[in-house]
Each structure stands twice: as structure tokens, then as C-alpha cells.
Amino acid sequence: MSEPKDYLGHFEEIVLLAVMRLAENAYGAKIRQTVSEATERDVSIGAVYATLDRLERKGYLKSWQGEATPERGGRAKRYFRVEGAGVQALNDTNGARNRLARGLDFGLDVA
Amino acid sequence: MSEPKDYLGHFEEIVLLAVMRLAENAYGAKIRQTVSEATERDVSIGAVYATLDRLERKGYLKSWQGEATPERGGRAKRYFRVEGAGVQALNDTNGARNRLARGLDFGLDVA
DNA sequence: TTTATATGTTCTACATTCTAGTATATGGAA
DNA sequence: TTCCATATACTAGAATGTAGAACATATAAA
């Protein structure tokens, strides 16, 4: 019953959370923007897609083709959704961290 | 006023937390054990030292020579302590994650 | 009916981090 | 003086992080 858990890298975790948060609206460009805001950093679009692709390959999320933006047109969007295994990985990653951080007082905002 | 923040890798974060938690007793072998328990995984000692060295190079922690184990002897320990910059990095890393996870309901244990 | 432009994705390459494994050092005990 | 337990240092390859340029395409404008 105890497979060695699978942990996410830092950026993988951030991207996966962004996809979750964006829900119905999770596609590359938007994900990039969300990640950029949360990290307060410029994040290249290539970095985001490379990570999305890896996460999909691992079965943590799934993607499918959508439509282009109605008004302005342009290339069609590729939407993403987090799969159960992704939620699991998110929880495992968080679990290990929490076991260590629990009770530690260094101003960690947990809110 | 806003330097681009510096984020920790997954394992770096884990190791840094372990050093904090171990306080006066933070040296390689013990850190490895603590990390191994928290992650429920076999962690090689080489992985731990490589990460400790990197963290020290970045100024996130500091190390100094201690004594050998009184009873059994053996090589002297190298103790580690987290520096202010390390706490800062821990908080920044956590901050970005929290901005994304806040309000998201997927069973994340925050306790 | 071309051309421009905004929107969005794919590809490629390199840097950094992760990780295991092996070698090395050293103090006390036999 | 050899052995053993305790610990750290080194090396190399795999995985992850990251940027940038190239490519694709639907509408609007000329």
C-alpha cells in the first residue's frame, strides 16, 4: 500500500496550482500570466509549456483543443485540466513539506 | 524595492526545513534521516550534501566543524544552521505557492 | 484578396537541480 | 595496527527549470 510517493518540482507545483485555479479558463497564455503574477516574476511562455507537457506526460493533467478567441481570432487555445493523479501529487508534495514545517515558527504565512 | 524573488527547489526547501527543525542537532547524517522520514523515501546521503553545499553557497545556511561522536568516535560532524536569507527564501517560496493555493479546495492539509 | 496584427502554441537548447553511488577521512576499540 | 563505526566529499547522469525564436491561424484593415 505504500508506493514511494511522487513529488513535484517547485515550478511544476506552481503551474499545476495555476491550472487548478483557472479552472475552465486554463490555457497556456493565461496560465503564464497567472504564474507570473503569483511569483512576481517574468516567466517565459516556453517555460510554461515545457512544464505543462511534462506534467501531461506524467498523467497529472490532460489537454484538448479549444477555439480561437471569438473577437480577435488567432490560433486555437489548448486547454488544460488537472487529473486525479495531479491532485494526489499536489497533496503528497504538500504533505512532506508540512510534516517538516509543522510547529516551526518562522513567520510562514499559512493562510 | 522589489528584487525578483529567489525561489527554492523542492528538495532544497525540504532540506532547509529539516535543518531548521533539527536546530542544534543539524548535521549531514541526521538531516538525511529527518528528510527520509518526512518524505517517506530513501534519500541518499550524497543528495543531501550536494543540496546542503548549494544552499550554503547561496548564503541560505552556514556550516562549521563539530566534534566526533564521543563514544564511538569517527569523523567530526559538520553542523548547519539556517541564515536569515534562508528564512526569507523559505517565506518567498511559500508565498508564491500560497497565493495560488489560497481558497483552492482539494484536501490540502494546511495544519 | 493581400497584408497586418493579435493571439496562441511548438520547438530547441542550455542551465540548474536532483539523485545515487563510490571514495575518502578519522576517532576509538579490539 | 587493524578494524569498525561514524561522517563527509566527489562524480556523473537524469530530471527539471528557463529563455527565446519559430511557427500557426483567425479576424480586421487596406
Side-chain angles (χ1 to χ4, degrees), chain B:
Chain B
M1 55 130 220
S2 60
E3 292 294 296
K5 299 216 160 83
D6 211 29
Y7 296 111
L8 299 164
H10 171 69
F11 199 63
E12 291 181 321
E13 193 177 3
I14 292 289
V15 168
L16 213 44
L17 284 170
V19 171
M20 267 198 131
R21 171 162 288 282
L22 285 168
E24 310 304 310
N25 217 30
Y27 64 95
K30 200 88 172 175
I31 293 167
R32 173 208 194 160
Q33 185 194 322
T34 299
V35 167
S36 200
E37 285 168 8
T39 57
E40 298 174 43
R41 265 199 196 180
D42 267 5
V43 174
S44 81
I45 187 64
V48 172
Y49 277 109
T51 301
L52 286 168
D53 286 343
R54 209 181 316 124
L55 289 172
E56 181 164 36
R57 235 177 291 127
K58 294 189 198 167
Y60 293 158
L61 46 78
K62 178 162 281 185
S63 75
W64 65 94
Q65 283 305 124
E67 302 297 321
T69 303
E71 310 259 308
R72 281 247 43 90
R75 190 166 177 170
K77 297 175 175 62
R78 180 177 159 209
Y79 286 101
F80 294 85
R81 177 178 16 110
V82 179
E83 297 288 281
V87 176
Q88 183 64 52
L90 231 21
N91 273 321
D92 288 347
T93 301
N94 206 249
R97 188 165 40 229
N98 277 349
R99 270 190 283 282
L100 287 169
R102 200 188 310 275
L104 241 46
D105 173 23
F106 57 100
L108 221 169
D109 18 300
V110 188

Side-chain angles (χ1 to χ4, degrees), chain A residues 18-83:
Chain A
V19 172
M20 267 199 131
R21 170 162 289 282
L22 285 168
E24 310 304 309
N25 217 30
Y27 64 95
K30 199 90 174 173
I31 294 167
R32 175 210 193 158
Q33 184 194 323
T34 299
V35 167
S36 200
E37 285 169 7
T39 58
E40 298 175 42
R41 265 199 195 179
D42 267 5
V43 174
S44 81
I45 189 64
V48 171
Y49 277 108
T51 300
L52 285 168
D53 286 343
R54 283 177 197 148
L55 289 170
E56 180 164 38
R57 235 176 290 129
K58 295 189 201 166
Y60 293 158
L61 46 76
K62 180 162 281 187
S63 75
W64 65 95
Q65 282 306 123
E67 301 297 320
T69 302
E71 310 261 306
R72 280 246 41 89
R75 190 164 176 172
K77 296 174 175 62
R78 180 178 159 208
Y79 286 102
F80 294 84
R81 175 175 18 109
V82 179
E83 297 288 280

Side-chain angles (χ1 to χ4, degrees), chain A residues 1-7 88 92, chain B residues 39-41:
Chain A
M1 51 132 219
S2 58
E3 293 293 296
K5 300 215 160 83
D6 210 29
Y7 296 112
Q88 183 65 51
D92 289 345
Chain B
T39 57
E40 298 174 43
R41 265 199 196 180

